[in-house]
Amino acid sequence: RFTASDAREICRQKMDAYLERGRVAAAGVVERILTEAPRDRYVPASSFRFVPSTNGDLSVEITSESHRVHPHALDQAAERAGLRLGYLHDLIGRNAPWAGELAATNLNTLLGHTDARFLVREVGGTIRGVLSDSYRRIDSRPTIEALVTEADKAGGLIVDGTYTETRVSLKVVHAEPVEVFPGEWMVFGLDYSNSDYGDGAHEIAAFLLRLWCLNGAVSARQVRKVHLGRRL
C-alpha cells in the first residue's frame, strides 16, 4: 500500500516522535549531571566506623561525620575489607538489629586491620563510591559538556538518557533517516555511558535505529562498543 516516498515519510514521523519523547528526559539527565558534583577525600581504612540502625541497615562515620551509604559503595567497602558479599547481603536482608550489628562488627574489624587508603566519593551526604586511592577519576561533567557541544556542532541531538546514583548514559543521534538499501531506513547515533563511582566501564557504543517496521516498533542494534580507560 505504500510507495517509497510514503514509507520514507512514515519513518521520518516515527523518528520525530522518538526524538521528541527522549529529548525531555535527556535534558533532565544533563542538568542533574552538571549540578551534582561529588566531594572527594582519601580516607584510611581504619578511619571507617560502620554503625547499624534499628532495622539492620548501615551508616558510616568518618572523622565523626555520619553518612548514608549507597548499596554500591557498601559492596565496594566489603570487597576491599575481604568480606563475602553473599554473607553481608544475607545479614542486611534479615532487617534485624542483631544482624546489622554483626555486619558492622565484621566490617569494622576487617577494615581496622587493613593498611589501605580509599578514595571516598560523596554526594549530598550519601557515600556513593569507596574506591582504590589510585582510581583514575573520569568526571562525567566536563565529558558530558564536551559531548553536548560537539554533538551540536555536528548536527546531532541528545535524544535519550538515564541517570542513577552511580551511573549515567546519554544517546546522541544524527536526526536524518538514511536509506541504507531500498526500503530500509535507519538513524545512526552514539551511546555514551559512564560511572564516576566505579559502577562499570566508561563506554561509547555506536548504534542504529531501524525505522523499517511500520507498526510503531523501533529496534536498536549495537555496532561497536569501546571501553575507555587509559586511551581516553
Side-chain angles (χ1 to χ4, degrees):
R1 295 180 297 168
F2 300 108
T3 66
S5 60
D6 289 337
R8 184 179 190 278
E9 181 57 28
I10 290 172
C11 287
R12 178 175 288 279
Q13 291 174 5
K14 287 176 57 183
M15 181 196 70
D16 290 343
Y18 168 79
L19 299 182
E20 190 60 32
R21 286 194 303 269
R23 290 174 70 178
V24 175
V29 169
V30 171
E31 182 178 1
R32 289 192 66 179
I33 293 170
L34 297 182
T35 55
E36 287 197 353
R39 173 194 178 192
D40 290 346
R41 52 182 160 167
Y42 293 101
V43 180
S46 57
S47 295
F48 285 80
R49 180 174 177 270
F50 285 90
V51 180
S53 66
T54 55
N55 63 358
D57 289 338
L58 300 180
S59 60
V60 65
E61 292 181 357
I62 300 175
T63 60
S64 301
E65 292 183 12
S66 181
H67 306 276
R68 296 183 299 276
V69 185
H70 190 278
H72 171 69
L74 181 60
D75 283 357
Q76 288 177 320
E79 288 177 334
R80 283 162 174 74
L83 182 64
R84 288 193 305 110
L85 294 184
Y87 175 62
L88 175 65
H89 294 167
D90 178 65
L91 288 175
I92 293 177
R94 294 174 182 267
N95 298 317
W98 69 265
E101 291 175 5
L102 184 55
T105 299
N106 273 275
L107 285 167
N108 292 334
T109 301
L110 289 167
L111 290 172
H113 291 82
T114 302
D115 295 330
R117 185 181 70 156
F118 303 134
L119 168 64
V120 175
R121 310 202 80 182
E122 169 211 337
V123 178
T126 298
I127 293 175
R128 298 187 185 179
V130 178
L131 304 149
S132 164
D133 61 356
S134 60
Y135 179 78
R136 184 169 179 265
R137 288 168 282 179
I138 302 174
D139 193 334
S140 290
R141 288 172 296 153
T143 313
I144 291 294
E145 286 180 327
L147 178 65
V148 172
T149 300
E150 296 304 317
D152 184 61
K153 290 179 184 178
L157 297 175
I158 309 293
V159 295
D160 201 0
T162 58
Y163 183 100
T164 70
E165 289 188 324
T166 59
R167 193 162 183 82
V168 298
S169 69
L170 285 178
K171 280 185 167 59
V172 185
V173 300
H174 189 264
E176 185 63 40
V178 177
E179 191 175 20
V180 294
F181 53 85
E184 181 67 76
W185 295 91
M186 297 185 181
V187 174
F188 293 85
L190 292 175
D191 189 352
Y192 166 89
S193 61
N194 184 35
S195 172
D196 290 332
Y197 308 98
D199 188 9
H202 187 200
E203 298 174 345
I204 291 181
F207 71 92
L208 56 87
L209 298 176
R210 294 189 66 205
L211 301 175
W212 174 82
C213 183
L214 300 182
N215 65 0
V218 177
S219 64
R221 177 174 299 170
Q222 180 177 284
V223 179
R224 178 167 173 76
K225 179 182 288 185
V226 179
H227 291 250
L228 303 175
R230 296 181 181 275
R231 293 182 295 119
L232 184 63

